[in-house]
Amino acid sequence: MKEVRKHKIIHVAPDGIGESLGVEAGDFLLEIDGQAVGDVFDYRMAVQAEELTVLVEKGDASPDAGEEWELEIEKDDDEDLGLEFETALMDEVRICRNKCVFCFIDQQPPDLRDSLYIKDDDPRLSFLHGNYVTLTNTSDAEIERIAHYHLSPLRISVHTTDAALRCKMMGNKHAGKLFPALERFNRAGIEMHFQAVICKGMNDGVFLDETIERLLGYKPGAASLAVVPAGLTRHREGLELVPNFGTSDARGVIKQVEAWQGKCRAKYGSPFVYAADEWYILAEWDVPRYEVYGDFPQLDNGVGMLALFEREFLEGFNNLKLCDFKTMSKEKIGIATGAAAYLFMCGLARKFEAVHTNVRINVFKINNRFFGDTVTVSGLLTGGDVIRHLQGKCGGLDVLFLPHNAFRAETETMLDGITRGELCEALGTSVRIGSANGGEFYKELLQAAGFAQNPSIKV
């Protein structure tokens, strides 16, 4: 007997195809063209057809509950059915089975919310949301399905192309079997973006050279590689010792990466390999020019984030600084950030003050006690650390800005559960979430400073 998977529909788009055929929230999708739908990829591929037959079971809220409706549909090939399902994947998330020596989830303190301890390693999330996957838990059949469906781009955690070392670093005896998958994806024309998380004394030095060189062999599919330092917290009890990188180490990695960038530009017309911003901060060197990053293929991996934010900020600055502003009152603004971006944000604050002379901006460096001082990125700040550092220091501030990435997506809640409202109460000042776009953040500073702009120009 054929097994039928039921996918609960939770939303039907108004005026869409589904609604026009009587599909309602609470109904279940059973089949398309007589075939069961395994997950979101099966669904997306099936609904591209211009003619299809969809089998739906009516939900409990319907007068026709339990009935199966067979819907004959004719549509344009790029037209969606307007259905949303109970889970984005229409399936369970595949959990990581690796035991990487640098795994950040293994280095978290206890008693955080359960979702922060989930390790996903699902190629479907790589395609849908840009998550990085190792492919160690992906079967040959799934590799073939990805290639057949041409799921592009994919983001793949490589770390090293030395098979034995990859097995050791990832704690998985199957980790060395990566390369047939990369070859198959390349033949299928799939665009691949890679990352190598670097641990001192493990996969750096000559191993990094070998990794870059081998991944270049998968062009044209190989699009970019991010070289990222391992994030090490103070919660590493029982884990393998991984040394921290120092300033001279970071400078060595940057020189190594930039040498490869020169070779790649000469041969391929683009850098291919990029050093994450953390290397430049640790090296105490300026990040590269905006132009170096091209179309910013590794932005989500912290590559070029500072250069892009500065460009956006200065464009907003140049567009608006000549406007007819009138200062309504003298304002004092605070910006809280992680240790990594502290000097960078100080520089932008001084540029702002140089033009808007009636404004004073205090930039506060928040050291991370929650994860440890070696964790310096603003995205891992906690409300507790912000309060610990700033309580009693915000009395003269009119507003305090916190970075957008320090809050859970689409919420006002920080990593440790503290909300923006609780920060306002604890610090005794207005707390705002700053934009991740530099140009928008410049406008937010203007608004916070109480500037009345020429009505003919919009801020």
Side-chain angles (χ1 to χ4, degrees):
M1 183 176 178
K2 181 170 64 173
E3 180 183 357
V4 177
R5 295 192 62 181
K6 298 169 63 171
H7 299 284
K8 188 173 183 179
I9 299 166
I10 61 170
H11 178 71
V12 181
D15 303 320
I17 292 174
E19 184 186 60
S20 69
L21 294 173
V23 180
E24 302 169 292
D27 292 350
F28 297 88
L29 172 67
L30 302 182
E31 294 179 353
I32 299 179
D33 290 334
Q35 300 296 316
V37 178
D39 62 14
V40 65
F41 291 154
D42 289 342
Y43 174 76
R44 285 193 176 190
M45 294 302 292
V47 299
Q48 288 181 13
E50 295 182 355
E51 296 182 6
L52 60 156
T53 302
V54 176
L55 186 64
V56 170
E57 179 185 305
K58 298 300 291 180
D60 292 340
S62 170
D64 304 311
E67 288 187 9
E68 293 185 2
W69 288 13
E70 189 174 85
L71 308 174
E72 301 286 343
I73 298 172
E74 293 184 8
K75 64 179 189 60
D76 295 333
D77 59 3
D78 61 348
E79 195 174 4
D80 188 63
L81 302 185
L83 308 180
E84 292 183 21
F85 299 92
E86 195 167 25
T87 62
L89 290 178
M90 302 174 69
D91 194 12
E92 294 181 354
V93 174
R94 294 172 193 164
I95 302 302
C96 181
R97 298 173 186 169
N98 303 315
K99 192 68 176 176
C100 295
V101 296
F102 51 81
C103 179
F104 195 85
I105 293 176
D106 289 342
Q107 301 178 73
Q108 294 188 129
D111 302 324
L112 298 177
R113 61 182 184 275
D114 291 344
S115 62
L116 293 175
Y117 300 105
I118 296 175
K119 302 181 186 181
D120 67 76
D121 194 19
D122 198 317
R124 298 168 297 183
L125 292 176
S126 177
F127 173 71
L128 292 172
H129 302 303
N131 296 24
Y132 276 85
V133 291
T134 67
L135 300 177
T136 57
N137 308 314
T138 308
S139 67
D140 292 343
E142 183 68 5
I143 296 294
E144 190 59 38
R145 187 172 79 119
I146 292 169
H148 174 70
Y149 282 169
H150 190 77
L151 302 179
S152 182
L154 290 178
R155 297 187 177 271
I156 302 167
S157 292
V158 175
H159 310 313
T160 178
T161 54
D162 182 287
L165 179 59
R166 192 169 194 257
C167 291
K168 178 182 177 182
M169 290 187 68
M170 300 179 70
N172 189 323
K173 65 182 181 180
H174 302 295
K177 299 178 181 179
L178 170 71
F179 310 107
L182 300 187
E183 292 172 359
R184 181 67 185 96
F185 295 157
N186 196 30
R187 291 198 306 273
I190 290 174
E191 182 181 300
M192 295 176 286
H193 297 272
F194 305 109
Q195 74 168 354
V197 176
I198 305 300
C199 296
K200 184 176 179 178
M202 293 187 188
N203 58 335
D204 52 356
V206 295
F207 287 106
L208 178 55
D209 283 330
E210 292 172 2
T211 296
I212 298 169
E213 185 171 19
R214 183 158 186 183
L215 291 178
L216 284 168
Y218 295 103
K219 279 193 166 292
S224 71
L225 166 65
V227 176
V228 183
L232 305 175
T233 81
R234 65 185 179 89
H235 303 282
R236 290 191 58 85
E237 297 83 0
L239 301 177
E240 182 175 345
L241 176 65
V242 178
N244 288 307
F245 285 102
T247 301
S248 61
D249 300 318
R251 291 177 178 179
V253 171
I254 292 169
K255 290 177 181 178
Q256 187 177 7
V257 167
E258 290 183 346
W260 276 104
Q261 287 180 330
K263 297 175 185 177
C264 292
R265 284 194 193 95
K267 188 171 182 179
Y268 305 107
S270 66
F272 176 69
V273 57
Y274 302 87
D277 290 6
E278 294 102 305
W279 293 113
Y280 292 93
I281 293 164
L282 184 56
E284 300 175 355
W285 285 353
D286 291 338
V287 297
R289 306 182 320 277
Y290 170 89
E291 293 75 16
V292 168
Y293 297 100
D295 60 355
F296 289 80
Q298 291 279 353
L299 187 63
D300 290 342
N301 223 335
V303 175
M305 187 179 299
L306 296 181
L308 178 61
F309 191 89
E310 182 179 43
R311 169 60 68 93
E312 293 168 341
F313 187 91
L314 294 179
E315 285 180 347
F317 180 86
N318 291 328
N319 290 337
L320 296 172
K321 70 179 181 181
L322 299 180
C323 296
D324 181 20
F325 287 114
K326 179 181 178 182
T327 308
M328 298 184 67
S329 61
K330 186 172 182 177
E331 300 290 335
K332 193 172 181 182
I333 297 171
I335 299 174
T337 188
Y342 172 70
L343 293 177
F344 172 79
M345 293 304 299
C346 285
L348 295 186
R350 301 296 81 82
K351 286 182 171 69
F352 188 94
E353 290 175 336
V355 173
H356 308 299
T357 56
N358 218 30
V359 178
R360 292 294 174 265
I361 299 179
N362 284 359
V363 182
F364 299 98
K365 178 171 66 174
I366 309 298
N367 292 319
N368 199 320
R369 285 181 55 185
F370 189 84
F371 288 111
D373 290 343
T374 56
V375 176
T376 60
V377 295
S378 59
L380 292 173
L381 291 178
T382 61
D385 278 338
V386 172
I387 293 170
R388 187 176 298 110
H389 281 75
L390 298 185
Q391 200 161 35
K393 299 179 182 178
C394 298
L397 294 181
D398 297 289
V399 61
L400 173 70
F401 282 97
L402 264 66
H404 179 272
N405 61 354
F407 292 82
R408 291 165 51 192
E410 310 300 327
T411 76
E412 295 191 348
T413 304
M414 299 188 75
L415 192 64
D416 58 352
I418 292 178
T419 66
R420 186 182 67 85
E422 290 169 334
L423 289 170
C424 293
E425 184 175 351
L427 299 177
T429 192
S430 173
V431 175
R432 299 187 191 177
I433 301 173
S435 174
N437 178 284
E440 293 302 313
F441 184 61
Y442 180 80
K443 294 179 184 179
E444 290 169 352
L445 290 178
L446 283 178
Q447 292 163 346
F451 283 103
Q453 192 181 5
N454 185 322
S456 65
I457 305 171
K458 291 184 178 181
V459 174

